[in-house]
Amino acid sequence: MRYAYGVTTALLLAGSAFTLATGFPAGAQVAQNDSSQIQAITPRQGAPSSFADLTAQLQPAVVNISTRQRVKVQVNNPFAGTPFGDLFGGPNGGGGTTTREAQSLGSGFIISADGYIVTNNHVITADGQGEVESISVTTPDGTEYPAKLVGKDAQSDLAVLKITGTKAFPFVKFGDSRKARVGDWVIAIGNPFGLGGTVTQGIISAVYRNTGQGGAYDRYLQTDAAINRGNSGGPMFDMAGNVIGINNAIYSPTGGSVGIGFAIPAEIAAPIVDKLKSGQAIERGYLGVRIQAMSDDLAASLGLPKNRGEFIQSVEPSAGAAKAGIQAGDVVVRVDGKDVTPEQTLSFIVANTTPGKTVPIELVRNGRRMTVNAVVGKRPSDDDLAKQSFDPDQQDDGGFGQNGGTTPQQQQMGTALQKSLGIAAVPLTAQIARQLGVTEDTRGVVVTGVDSASDAGSKGLQRGDIILSAGYRALTSVADLDAAVRQAKAANQEALLLRVQRRGQPPIYVPIRLR
């Protein structure tokens, strides 16, 4: 489980139930959380005086999941560099890789009498470090079943398993998470730290919580019911006994529960589970843009309200957004009649749009509101997307030696830039362009130094970055950048929007707070 002051995927097992037409006796087709059975246990409003009867009714459908994996690990050769080095490890005695057996534990729940089970994808995968050799499911009565993987979806972190028995299995059904309200009571059942059948209770702390991790499914129910490592994939029940969430992640500085847990809403999980169970492919919409949330500084640099819309950093050529005329620097505020907000992100809206559909997109470009129509494409595979992604913080700085003298006027402008932006810059010459790996006809100014205590330093600007524009105005000299700073200050702007290019990366917009 990953953690440390961030959202961490906790190994939790969860499942959802759909009643199937099977050959089992009719009496076996009643879900454990059927309303006729639950109404006698819990009052219509509020929580019961005890959760015991509700737990007894639901717990038989919650299972423990364990996997055996073969994981690749690096082996160091203690004799490397000695005459005995070639006798151990890989080529030239430098060690190599080997595999070891590992186990993972999680939770899940049965969703049909014939043994379909829902859990998290991360519970039954080796996370790219090896291969899963076997999956076992243990029911509350202690019976262990070998499980078959029916389908999995890494994007939503959902998976469906299948076990086979001689009798019908107890199962539960999905409820409607759209009816969940902050303050509603919930209970979670799972396998934290291998302690099977553990029940915790709490309330819904927030609905549709965006954790800031990005992606199409960064949209959770937040709860203070204790969720720990091993709870992943387990169900979160409302007081009607319905599965309204699948426990998935926690926020924790320690790795243990601190009262901030996240569950995948049933309204998101149920349709995906249904497709996985029937063997259908999961298709998601795709526009081909790289986006950034509207931070305070970004909103200030654009003169727009914060927490409304998302900023387009770059556009993939030939994808739906580019064909519709969407450009880097645009702010998308509405898609297909849906407002783009932190709770309803652009990624979420587009991913849940059918590929091939034409949707109207409202955007703001350089202060002007406009609407374009885009054909939503099909999202590429994870491998294809990985080839397109990049991390600015992991690139070389592209440093170069500064040469040539400066005039008193240039020195004055340089001092002004250091005071206002916290950077030093020089014109981009053909020679410097070659050193930085860009074409000689590229126009802009090059950062030669950054004050680490400035906002530019905290935003990651570094020596060798090329500033192409400031406030949407192309730069050809340091004087142009100095003029843009002066103009922004005269307009009482708190930040200036720079378009920055780094070696090997497409340009991105960065709002820099003025000082």
Side-chain angles (χ1 to χ4, degrees):
M1 181 176 74
R2 299 181 296 275
Y3 48 84
Y5 291 102
V7 174
T8 71
T9 303
L11 293 179
L12 319 167
L13 270 171
S16 57
F18 290 88
T19 304
L20 300 179
T22 69
F24 293 116
Q29 300 303 303
V30 179
Q32 297 299 114
N33 52 357
D34 185 83
S35 60
S36 62
Q37 301 183 55
I38 298 299
Q39 286 174 358
I41 298 174
T42 61
R44 187 170 182 82
Q45 297 293 332
S49 57
S50 170
F51 295 94
D53 290 338
L54 185 61
T55 298
Q57 188 69 33
L58 302 173
Q59 200 165 29
V62 183
V63 300
N64 298 338
I65 298 177
S66 63
T67 68
R68 290 190 178 276
Q69 307 171 0
R70 299 295 297 181
V71 180
K72 294 181 180 180
V73 294
Q74 186 69 34
V75 177
N76 294 322
N77 181 2
F79 298 98
T82 73
F84 303 100
D86 292 337
L87 301 178
F88 302 89
N92 302 319
T97 60
T98 186
T99 58
R100 63 175 177 84
E101 189 172 276
Q103 288 183 306
S104 70
L105 297 173
S107 308
F109 54 99
I110 305 173
I111 60 170
S112 65
D114 56 348
Y116 282 93
I117 295 170
V118 174
T119 187
N120 285 150
N121 177 66
H122 74 260
V123 170
I124 52 85
T125 59
D127 197 23
Q129 302 300 312
E131 297 181 356
V132 174
E133 292 186 327
S134 64
I135 304 173
S136 297
V137 170
T138 304
T139 55
D141 63 5
T143 306
E144 185 173 346
Y145 298 89
K148 174 187 175 182
L149 176 62
V150 176
K152 62 179 181 177
D153 179 48
Q155 287 300 307
S156 61
D157 197 16
L158 294 169
V160 175
L161 309 176
K162 179 71 167 63
I163 58 176
T164 302
T166 57
K167 59 181 181 180
F169 293 101
F171 66 97
V172 291
K173 300 180 297 182
F174 277 121
D176 188 354
S177 58
R178 293 172 297 182
K179 297 179 180 179
R181 301 171 61 199
V182 174
D184 283 347
W185 284 99
V186 292
I187 63 172
I189 305 177
N191 182 34
F193 304 111
L195 302 174
T198 295
V199 182
T200 56
Q201 60 83 23
I203 63 170
I204 296 291
S205 304
V207 294
Y208 303 140
R209 173 69 75 195
N210 186 318
T211 65
Q213 301 301 296
Y217 295 101
D218 189 11
R219 183 180 169 94
Y220 298 94
L221 296 176
Q222 182 181 327
T223 181
D224 66 348
I227 294 174
N228 287 287
R229 183 175 182 176
N231 276 119
S232 285
M236 176 191 292
F237 295 101
D238 62 16
M239 289 300 97
N242 296 310
V243 178
I244 61 169
I246 301 175
N247 299 321
N248 178 261
I250 61 174
Y251 183 93
S252 174
T254 64
S257 174
V258 294
I260 302 178
F262 303 99
I264 303 170
E267 64 182 280
I268 291 177
I272 296 174
V273 166
D274 201 20
K275 288 184 177 181
L276 291 176
K277 201 169 62 169
S278 61
Q280 298 180 47
I282 308 296
E283 293 186 349
R284 297 182 176 87
Y286 183 74
L287 279 180
V289 294
R290 182 170 178 262
I291 58 180
Q292 178 180 340
M294 288 290 288
S295 64
D296 291 348
D297 289 350
L298 186 54
S301 69
L302 296 170
L304 295 174
K306 62 180 181 180
N307 295 329
R308 286 294 180 271
E310 291 188 8
F311 188 81
I312 303 299
Q313 283 284 7
S314 60
V315 180
E316 179 186 332
S318 75
K323 292 179 179 179
I326 296 175
Q327 302 175 4
D330 290 344
V331 178
V332 176
V333 295
R334 194 174 176 86
V335 177
D336 200 19
K338 305 177 181 69
D339 291 330
V340 177
T341 66
E343 294 75 28
Q344 187 170 247
T345 64
L346 178 60
S347 295
F348 178 81
I349 296 173
V350 172
N352 289 279
T353 300
T354 304
K357 182 179 180 180
T358 300
V359 297
I361 298 177
E362 297 180 32
L363 53 87
V364 177
R365 177 177 298 166
N366 201 14
R368 198 163 47 89
R369 203 175 185 100
M370 57 190 299
T371 300
V372 299
N373 293 313
V375 178
V376 177
K378 180 181 176 182
R379 186 182 188 277
S381 67
D382 290 340
D383 289 340
D384 290 338
L385 287 177
K387 296 175 183 177
Q388 302 171 12
S389 65
F390 60 93
D391 184 349
D393 295 331
Q394 294 181 358
Q395 301 297 319
D396 295 334
D397 65 4
F400 55 87
Q402 181 176 347
N403 51 47
T406 58
T407 66
Q409 183 180 7
Q410 291 172 332
Q411 292 175 356
Q412 184 178 1
M413 286 187 297
T415 302
L417 290 178
Q418 293 176 29
K419 289 182 178 180
S420 301
L421 290 176
I423 65 171
V426 297
L428 177 62
T429 65
Q431 179 183 359
I432 294 175
R434 289 193 297 271
Q435 293 174 348
L436 295 179
V438 297
T439 59
E440 294 185 7
D441 59 353
T442 302
R443 295 292 178 263
V445 299
V446 182
V447 176
T448 59
V450 180
D451 181 357
S452 60
S454 68
D455 189 52
S458 66
K459 296 283 177 61
L461 262 67
Q462 60 189 32
R463 177 182 171 88
D465 286 344
I466 302 172
I467 303 176
L468 303 173
S469 69
Y472 291 111
R473 295 188 177 184
L475 303 179
T476 59
S477 66
V478 177
D480 290 343
L481 179 57
D482 181 69
V485 170
R486 294 178 186 275
Q487 184 176 357
K489 286 189 171 183
N492 294 321
Q493 287 182 216
E494 297 180 356
L496 179 64
L497 188 65
L498 305 181
R499 194 176 192 211
V500 180
Q501 183 169 4
R502 183 168 296 170
R503 177 194 292 270
Q505 301 177 9
I508 64 172
Y509 286 93
V510 183
I512 302 299
R513 186 164 290 275
L514 299 172
R515 56 181 188 175

